[in-house]
Amino acid sequence: MTKEMFTLKSSDGFLFVVDEAVVHQSVTLSPMVQDCAGREYPINNVTGKILNLVVEYCKNHVVVDGGDSSSSSSSGDALKKWDDEFITQMDLSTVYDLIMAANYLIIKGLFDLACQRVADEIAACKDHEEIRATLGIVSDYTAEEEAEVLKENEWAFD
Amino acid sequence: MVDWAILPKDLLNLISKSLDSSFDLLHFRSVCSSWRSSADPKPPLPTHHLPILPDNGTSLFPDSAVGFRLSQRSILLVKPHKPPISESDLFGWLVKVEEDLNAPRKVTTLLDPMSETRRSLPEHFPRSLDVSSFKIRELGREFKLHYFNTVGDIVNSLYLEKAVVRYLDSCSKFVLLTIHVSGKLAVFTSWDRAWTVINDMPSPYDDVIVFDGRFFGVDNNGRTVVVDFESLKLELVASPVYGGDKKFLIESCGEMLMVDMYLSMEEVDGDPGFGEEVFEHHAVFMNERTVKFKVFKFLEREKSWVEVKDLGGKMLFLGDDCNFTASASDLLPSCGGSCVFFNGNVFNEDNVDAMQDRDLGVFDFRSGKIELVHKLPEYAKLFWPPPPWITSHERAEDHPGETSSKC
């Protein structure tokens, strides 16, 4: 049985040819299976660099998810290991873009994976100062908000 | 360059929900304005008023008590962000914290993690601490029932049994499991404000715990049940082990353990200084010493407890109202771990004949030895006074205009 192939086009013109099993992992793209076989489907807010990563994730998740339902725990472990390596080697700017892409394309597994990477990065920071430094965020509190933040961070004894 | 401050709020919210620790959430909320408004604050631990538990007719609580106040505390492991220069300062501080949100200004009280004792702050201790200057982890949550009277004051509590709580949905809907004075299990449901005492009790219950989202109770023989709060039925999940005199349930690294405390009832040698009859009458209480512990691991499928021969690097703490675990590598690297801290009567060679007060003791699992914690500075320093690096930080009030903290 020949698989149906679909062509995804990134915002900057890169083309990715993928099969149905990959497309179905995106809730946003899933309906296109009906209409778009053979035609290019533009994804206007995801660049080629990011779409490449999305496709890579989905391809890897077809192999196991498409397998039998009694897949052994070792293949589940192998997939988890792949996920960990996949997300950890990325720099945070890429993770940011991946979060936005996975959110738009509604790919839950990828979205959760990327969010958890950010959460882990935050947890590794000793305090909010370090989070700001790591992510390049500037504090923009009003005086009132500052006072609130201070209070929230404080143990005040009797 | 991406701008994390402008990540859509719903996405920021989801990221904030992936944070395990409430202290990481606190940091998240302190980063900048958009992050702050995207993350819901850790829900405050509410204090609830409960109607009084029906007793057996014997008035075991003060006449003036009209109800219970349920308060909640966190047991925390506090460490400095940067390891201290001196190795002997390399340890964590164990403290129990209660926050009173009803006061006009939020007031934090520090308590002994192992008992109800409130800490009096040393004289030069700062009046406030910037929590973000430390690495803090919650090791456990304690629920405490106090009797209160018609004026709303807490009556000196005679209620000594462990209580555990499961929140359903929101902070106002909860179920509480405790041990009734009769030794039976009692359940309180917040929506109908009703207590139910469950009659199934081959042997009095010793401890209760929430583990894996479920209520467990263990009786004096180690027989363990799961409590279904909806049907109020008990399901046997582990057969008795018999053995020692008091059983404790504790969670450690995702597993449920049971600690079995052995008490000895030996007679004391020598002259206690009491009159003969008084001595005989008090003999049992004077000499109920804690002599050893065994630890068991819960095997759900086998419906049994299996003895654990080595605790590895774990340190178990059996507090009056909460049991919690820490790993030695985290809390006290110089110690090998594998010990159990408990409140009980400990043989004190300096004062053999005296009537013992309950004291904090530690059982070394490997050597089988028991010692008073106050005689072991290496362990005593975990509890009180606060370690030197707590106060070597600048106080929050010194920098009123900043939210930053310096080490």
Side-chain angles (χ1 to χ4, degrees):
Chain A
M1 177 178 93
T2 48
K3 281 204 211 135
E4 289 258 39
M5 302 305 281
F6 300 87
T7 307
L8 306 175
K9 183 167 159 189
S10 73
S11 59
D12 44 356
F14 290 96
L15 299 177
F16 297 86
V17 181
V18 295
D19 65 30
E20 203 174 314
V22 166
V23 171
H24 272 310
Q25 289 188 46
S26 156
V27 173
T28 311
L29 295 180
S30 217
M32 81 181 247
V33 165
Q34 325 290 9
D35 332 307
C36 291
R39 288 190 290 136
E40 284 175 9
Y41 188 91
I43 301 181
N44 291 323
N45 37 13
V46 184
T47 62
K49 173 184 168 199
I50 301 301
L51 194 53
N52 185 34
L53 293 169
V54 172
V55 167
E56 194 186 335
Y57 175 88
C58 291
K59 278 185 175 163
N60 234 274
H61 276 251
V62 169
V63 172
V64 173
D65 294 352
D68 59 359
S69 54
S70 59
S71 55
S72 65
S73 66
S74 64
S75 64
D77 284 345
L79 187 61
K80 188 172 184 312
K81 191 155 177 267
W82 186 89
D83 279 354
D84 282 345
E85 280 173 20
F86 176 71
I87 203 75
T88 311
Q89 70 192 359
M90 275 180 224
D91 63 59
L92 289 173
S93 289
T94 309
V95 176
Y96 181 102
D97 290 332
L98 206 58
I99 290 178
M100 298 290 273
N103 182 48
Y104 170 72
L105 294 170
I106 313 181
I107 304 172
K108 187 174 190 320
L110 180 58
F111 180 77
D112 290 345
L113 185 66
C115 282
Q116 191 59 54
R117 164 80 203 275
V118 179
D120 291 347
E121 201 70 40
I122 291 171
C125 290
K126 68 178 199 206
D127 59 14
H128 49 273
E129 286 260 300
E130 196 174 320
I131 298 174
R132 286 178 194 150
T134 306
L135 300 180
I137 300 176
V138 173
S139 164
D140 57 348
Y141 287 125
T142 62
E144 210 173 73
E145 279 170 324
E146 274 226 359
E148 260 178 44
V149 171
L150 210 73
K151 193 169 152 201
E152 211 170 293
N153 273 287
E154 188 185 60
W155 281 348
F157 308 116
D158 226 331
Chain B
M1 186 61 192
V2 299
D3 186 353
W4 286 93
I6 62 167
L7 195 63
K9 293 215 169 157
D10 55 338
L11 303 189
L12 282 173
N13 184 269
L14 288 170
I15 293 174
S16 77
K17 289 190 153 71
S18 308
L19 294 168
D20 282 330
S21 149
S22 60
F23 292 94
D24 287 333
L25 182 61
L26 186 60
H27 298 156
F28 187 103
R29 277 176 53 82
S30 308
V31 168
C32 66
S33 203
S34 66
W35 278 44
R36 186 175 177 70
S37 54
S38 317
D40 308 318
K42 164 183 102 172
L45 305 180
T47 300
H48 299 284
H49 288 110
L50 278 58
I52 205 87
L53 227 191
D55 68 0
N56 283 346
T58 52
S59 213
L60 278 169
F61 47 76
D63 290 334
S64 56
V66 298
F68 283 123
R69 182 172 298 156
L70 173 65
S71 57
Q72 304 172 49
R73 295 89 174 254
S74 293
I75 302 203
L76 305 175
L77 169 54
V78 182
K79 295 205 313 198
H81 283 303
K82 273 204 274 231
I85 300 164
S86 155
E87 268 222 27
S88 64
D89 282 347
L90 182 66
F91 62 93
W93 181 34
L94 292 172
V95 69
K96 184 159 72 184
V97 165
E98 179 170 6
E99 291 189 322
D100 181 3
L101 301 162
N102 293 324
R105 182 175 149 259
K106 175 184 92 170
V107 170
T108 305
T109 309
L110 301 182
L111 300 110
D112 170 18
M114 303 294 282
S115 74
E116 196 51 17
T117 308
R118 274 162 200 239
R119 298 296 194 196
S120 331
L121 299 177
E123 211 174 278
H124 301 292
F125 203 77
R127 293 297 110 185
S128 71
L129 280 178
D130 179 2
V131 153
S132 67
S133 13
F134 309 106
K135 194 155 78 174
I136 305 186
R137 202 150 55 80
E138 190 179 270
L139 298 181
R141 195 163 285 189
E142 174 183 290
F143 295 92
K144 180 77 186 164
L145 288 168
H146 287 110
Y147 293 108
F148 70 91
N149 62 22
T150 47
V151 193
D153 292 335
I154 287 184
V155 174
N156 202 18
S157 176
L158 290 174
Y159 193 80
L160 296 171
E161 300 294 354
K162 182 83 67 72
V164 289
V165 168
R166 274 174 59 192
Y167 279 102
L168 314 168
D169 302 336
S170 68
C171 285
S172 49
K173 194 171 174 196
F174 66 91
V175 189
L176 181 147
L177 174 67
T178 186
I179 302 170
H180 187 256
V181 65
S182 61
K184 296 178 184 169
L185 294 173
V187 172
F188 177 82
T189 41
S190 67
W191 48 94
D192 53 5
R193 293 181 63 73
W195 281 104
T196 310
V197 179
I198 300 176
N199 277 316
D200 180 343
M201 185 194 71
S203 173
Y205 285 91
D206 268 352
D207 203 1
V208 288
I209 195 175
V210 173
F211 173 71
D212 190 36
R214 294 174 286 165
F215 281 131
F216 287 79
V218 68
D219 76 10
N220 201 243
N221 292 321
R223 179 178 173 273
T224 311
V225 296
V226 160
V227 183
D228 179 335
F229 67 85
E230 282 163 326
S231 64
L232 294 171
K233 286 203 159 38
L234 304 180
E235 181 201 335
L236 178 70
V237 291
S239 319
V241 298
Y242 302 103
D245 302 288
K246 188 162 185 207
K247 311 286 192 276
F248 301 81
L249 293 173
I250 186 170
E251 175 165 355
S252 172
C253 298
E255 294 179 319
M256 182 162 69
L257 303 178
M258 174 172 69
V259 181
D260 192 3
M261 179 193 263
Y262 284 72
L263 302 171
S264 94
M265 308 284 241
E266 298 146 359
E267 280 184 28
V268 131
D269 289 335
D271 175 17
F274 287 98
E276 275 281 309
E277 353 174 339
V278 177
F279 173 71
E280 269 162 34
H281 181 70
H282 285 290
V284 168
F285 298 100
M286 285 177 72
N287 302 308
E288 197 182 78
R289 286 194 292 117
T290 304
V291 291
K292 78 171 182 191
F293 289 88
K294 278 192 181 176
V295 178
F296 297 82
K297 186 166 87 168
F298 181 54
L299 294 181
E300 181 144 20
R301 218 173 298 159
E302 287 85 333
K303 283 195 184 309
S304 70
W305 291 102
V306 160
E307 194 176 343
V308 167
K309 292 298 188 181
D310 187 352
L311 284 179
K314 296 203 255 278
M315 300 168 78
L316 306 183
F317 296 83
L318 308 176
D320 284 345
D321 298 294
C322 181
N323 303 328
F324 57 95
T325 316
S327 71
S329 56
D330 216 1
L331 177 59
L332 185 63
S334 60
C335 148
S338 217
C339 48
V340 180
F341 289 79
F342 64 98
N343 288 312
N345 285 331
V346 175
F347 180 71
N348 184 354
E349 62 196 355
D350 299 337
N351 212 355
V352 177
D353 304 323
M355 186 127 147
Q356 301 279 350
D357 281 327
R358 288 175 85 238
D359 229 325
L360 184 63
V362 61
F363 171 74
D364 183 325
F365 208 73
R366 293 182 182 137
S367 69
K369 291 208 171 77
I370 288 187
E371 184 55 276
L372 289 162
V373 168
H374 69 73
K375 285 186 161 186
L376 301 172
E378 268 292 284
Y379 288 139
K381 71 186 187 187
L382 298 174
F383 298 95
W384 199 256
W389 41 261
I390 292 279
T391 45
S392 65
H393 284 92
E394 290 167 4
R395 294 173 290 170
E397 61 214 47
D398 287 343
H399 295 266
E402 293 172 17
T403 54
S404 64
S405 61
K406 301 190 180 95
C407 279

